[in-house]
Amino acid sequence: MGRGRAALLTGVVMLTGGAGAKAAPPMVTVIPKPVSVELGRGAFAAGAKTTLTVSPVTSETRRIAAELADALGGRIGPAGPVALELGGPARLGDEGYDLTVTSAGIRLVARTPAGLFHGVQTLRQLLPAGGPGRIPAVTIRDYPRFAWRGAMLDVARHFFSVRDVRRFIDAIAFYKVNRLHLHLSDDQGWRIAIDSWPRLATHGGSTAVGGGKGGYYTQRQYSAIVAYARSRYVEIVPEIDMPGHVHAALSSYPKLACDGKPSPLYTGIDVGFSSLCVGKEATYAFVDDVVGELAALTPGPWFHIGGDEAAATKTADYVRFVSRVQQIVERHGKRMIGWEEIGRAKLAAGTLVQHWNVDLAKTELSRRAVEQGAMVIMSPAAKAYLDMKYDPSTKLGLRWAGYTSVLDSYTWDPGRQVAGVGSRDVLGVEAPLWSETVRTIAEVEYLAFPRLMGIAEIGWSPARGRNWSEYRLRLAAQGPRLEALGVNFYRAPEVPWR
Ligand code: TNX
C-alpha cells in the first residue's frame, strides 16, 4: 500500500483499494480533512537551522509561531524560509488558512490568529509523528463547514483536575475542535465555587458517582482553564444544569427544594428525580447569583442552562422556569443554550438548542426551537455520545443509545438528523462525554479517541469527499501521533492501525 512513499513522508498515505481497484492519488492524512489539498513534488526538510518569520509580530502571533518552531525543531528569526502571515483573503473566514509547502519553504496565511493556529495544527500532522523532519510539498486551502465543533466533558459525575482538563484541551485542539462545554453540576456533584452560595462546592462538590471524594474548581482554577483553552482557540461553555439534575445543590441548600427538607448527597446514576422549586423566589435569586458569578468569569458569549430530563418538574412549571432563566442569562450578557427540551418553552431568537435524543418521537423539540429562531448544536446520542460503549466487549461506558462504533460515529450528517432541521439551522456539532463510568483522564481519552476525531471532521470538512473507506486509512495513520502525544485511544478493529 504505497509503503515506500509513506515511509518517507509520514503525513501522506497512498489510497489504493484492494486487488484490481484503480489507484487513487496519494492523500495527506490530516484530520479533519482539509477543503482542498494538492500534493506537489518533494518535501521541505525542517531542522535546527530552520528559521520562521511572523507578521505582524504580536505576542499572540509569536506564541503561535513558537509552537510551530518547536514542532519543526527550528527558531523564530528576522528572515527565513517559513513564513506565518496575517492578512489573508476574506474567503478564509474567521478560522481558515492557506498553506503552501515547497521544497524551498512554507507559507501559512490566515485572516485571524485562530486561522494561523489551525494551520499550525495541520503542519504538525504533516510532520513525522513525534518529531521534526520532512513535510510533503503541498498546497492546502482550508476553512470549516461549521462554526461550532465541540466536545463536552461531564466533570460532575466524576471530577477531573485542571491538569486533566488542560490535557484534554491539548488533544481536542489538535483536531480543530473549538468549544469545550463543561457540565459543571449534576445530581452527584457541584464543581464550581460560587462565592455567594459557598456550600454548593464545599458540600455539593464533596463526592461523586460511586462515593469517591469529588472535588471542585475554585474560581481562579476555572479562570485558568478558560485562559488555557483560549490559548488553544477553544472557547469554554459553562453549563449549570437546571431545573432538574440539581440534587447536589438541593442537598447543599434545602430551601431550594419545594419540601425544604435536608437530604444526603447522592452517588448513584439515576436521572430525572430532582428539581429546583419553580414557585419559590429563592430559586431565582439562586439562579441569578450563580449565572452572574459564572458569566463574569467566562469571556465567551454562551451560558448553558441544561434543561434536560426534568422529569420531576411539571411541564407548565418547566416552561415558566425556562423563560425566566432566559431573561436572567440575557441580563448577564450571555446567550442561552439548553438541551433540546427547552424547545417546549418560548425562546428568544438567537438561543442555541442542543439536540441529543435518539427517541424520534421527541425530535420535534429541536424543530420547535428552530421555528422560534434558534440554531441547533447536533449531538445525536447514537452517533455523538462518547460515553456509549464501542461494542459489547467495551468495559467502560453505557449503552442506552446502543453501541457506537468508530464507523457509526463518523457516518452521519448534521443536516439530516431531524425532519425540519437542515444544515442552515445547524451551528455545528458536539460530542458529549458523560462520566458516570469514567474516573480517570486516560479513561476519558479511551472513549473519546478516536470517535471525537470523526466528529471533528464532520464539523470541519465538506460533506462531499468524506467517506469511511478513505477516512479509516487517515485515521490509522493518526495512531502513532496519538501515541507520541501520550493520548490513550481505542484501537478499533475496523481501522488498520499502523
Ligand atoms: C442523558 S443527554 C443525560 C445525562 C446522562 C447521559 C448518559 C442528557 C442531556 N442527559 O444526564 O449522563 O444520558 O449517557
Side-chain angles (χ1 to χ4, degrees):
M1 245 205 2
R3 294 293 301 185
R5 181 153 188 179
L8 276 176
L9 298 171
T10 51
V12 179
V13 283
M14 305 296 286
L15 297 178
T16 50
K22 244 205 295 179
M27 171 66 200
V28 301
T29 57
V30 174
I31 293 177
K33 186 178 185 173
V35 170
S36 101
V37 178
E38 277 174 54
L39 272 175
R41 280 172 175 275
F44 177 76
K49 297 220 172 67
T50 305
T51 46
L52 293 76
T53 64
V54 54
S55 85
V57 180
T58 66
S59 58
E60 193 174 10
T61 57
R62 270 193 76 94
R63 196 186 61 219
I64 297 164
E67 178 178 345
L68 181 58
D70 195 43
L72 296 176
R75 61 195 158 78
I76 299 176
V82 180
L84 279 72
E85 294 165 26
L86 285 181
R91 67 177 159 74
L92 294 176
D94 290 341
E95 294 189 282
Y97 63 92
D98 277 345
L99 173 64
T100 316
V101 181
T102 66
S103 54
I106 299 175
R107 184 158 179 261
L108 173 61
V109 182
R111 283 185 65 220
T112 61
L116 286 182
F117 177 82
H118 294 319
V120 168
Q121 304 317 307
T122 296
L123 278 164
R124 288 175 69 200
Q125 291 191 24
L126 291 169
L127 281 162
R134 288 151 56 86
I135 300 178
V138 71
T139 303
I140 293 181
R141 309 209 175 298
D142 204 12
Y143 49 85
R145 176 178 174 197
F146 291 111
W148 189 290
R149 304 173 307 277
M152 188 207 85
L153 187 59
D154 171 7
V155 298
R157 271 53 177 270
H158 283 101
F159 182 65
F160 298 93
S161 68
V162 173
R163 215 169 132 209
D164 287 344
V165 175
R166 285 169 63 127
R167 177 170 152 162
F168 192 58
I169 290 167
D170 284 339
I172 68 178
F174 190 52
Y175 296 105
K176 303 186 176 74
V177 169
N178 67 353
R179 306 279 184 264
L180 177 62
H181 165 182
L182 291 176
H183 184 74
L184 290 166
S185 67
D186 213 300
D187 291 313
Q188 299 86 347
W190 185 284
R191 307 302 181 198
I192 176 75
I194 300 295
D195 292 343
S196 49
W197 299 73
R199 273 177 60 78
L200 291 170
T202 56
H203 172 76
S206 65
T207 190
V209 165
K213 74 175 169 44
Y216 63 88
Y217 307 120
T218 63
Q219 295 200 351
R220 188 190 285 259
Q221 286 174 325
Y222 174 81
S223 295
I225 291 172
V226 168
Y228 187 74
R230 285 218 133 182
S231 77
R232 312 302 294 161
Y233 299 89
V234 172
E235 201 107 49
I236 296 293
V237 180
E239 177 189 351
I240 297 294
D241 206 345
M242 52 184 123
H245 289 275
V246 289
H247 183 79
L250 304 185
S251 175
S252 307
Y253 292 98
K255 70 171 173 186
L256 296 172
C258 281
D259 68 11
K261 288 207 186 103
S263 54
L265 288 164
Y266 177 71
T267 60
I269 66 165
D270 283 347
V271 297
F273 61 88
S274 59
S275 180
L276 290 170
C277 192
V278 171
K280 281 188 187 173
E281 274 315 298
T283 293
Y284 303 96
F286 164 80
V287 172
D288 192 63
D289 289 340
V290 169
V291 173
E293 287 193 34
L294 201 42
L297 296 168
T298 307
W302 308 281
F303 192 100
H304 201 310
I305 65 149
D308 57 314
E309 301 174 319
T313 316
K314 289 196 192 86
T315 302
D317 284 350
Y318 179 89
V319 166
R320 188 152 61 100
F321 178 82
V322 170
S323 27
R324 234 177 122 174
V325 169
Q326 172 163 267
Q327 287 165 13
I328 293 173
V329 170
E330 271 172 22
R331 216 166 42 240
H332 291 289
K334 300 295 176 192
R335 272 173 75 179
M336 186 174 83
I337 310 179
W339 296 103
E340 70 188 65
E341 286 93 328
I342 65 165
R344 289 171 14 199
K346 192 164 178 315
L347 302 175
T351 299
L352 301 184
V353 61
Q354 187 164 7
H355 172 77
W356 65 276
N357 215 310
V358 276
D359 182 342
L360 290 179
K362 292 184 188 158
T363 55
E364 53 136 356
L365 290 172
S366 303
R367 185 177 46 73
R368 271 160 65 182
V370 164
E371 283 165 4
Q372 301 185 64
M375 297 263 309
V376 180
I377 301 165
M378 276 292 169
S379 306
K383 302 287 188 184
Y385 268 29
L386 300 173
D387 62 315
M388 291 300 119
K389 289 175 185 285
Y390 289 98
D391 59 51
S393 72
T394 316
K395 295 206 170 58
L396 297 167
L398 301 172
R399 49 165 293 187
W400 65 263
Y403 298 116
T404 305
S405 67
V406 176
L407 168 68
D408 296 331
S409 63
Y410 182 71
T411 44
W412 60 282
D413 190 278
R416 294 166 189 265
Q417 295 303 302
V418 179
V421 179
S423 292
R424 273 191 334 255
D425 307 312
V426 172
L427 189 61
V429 295
E430 189 174 294
L433 203 158
W434 303 98
S435 63
E436 285 94 334
T437 65
V438 287
R439 284 173 312 255
T440 66
I441 196 68
E443 290 176 346
V444 165
E445 289 169 355
Y446 178 85
L447 288 174
F449 295 94
R451 287 181 293 197
L452 180 57
M453 297 151 73
I455 295 183
E457 178 153 312
I458 289 172
W460 179 284
S461 309
R464 222 169 60 158
R466 285 204 293 108
N467 71 78
W468 166 255
S469 59
E470 182 260 3
Y471 174 69
R472 67 194 272 277
L473 300 180
R474 277 186 290 120
L475 185 53
Q478 294 282 333
R481 296 186 190 283
L482 291 168
E483 274 170 6
L485 293 170
V487 175
N488 191 27
F489 66 102
Y490 172 56
R491 291 184 170 269
E494 66 265 48
V495 179
W497 298 104
R498 295 240 200 112

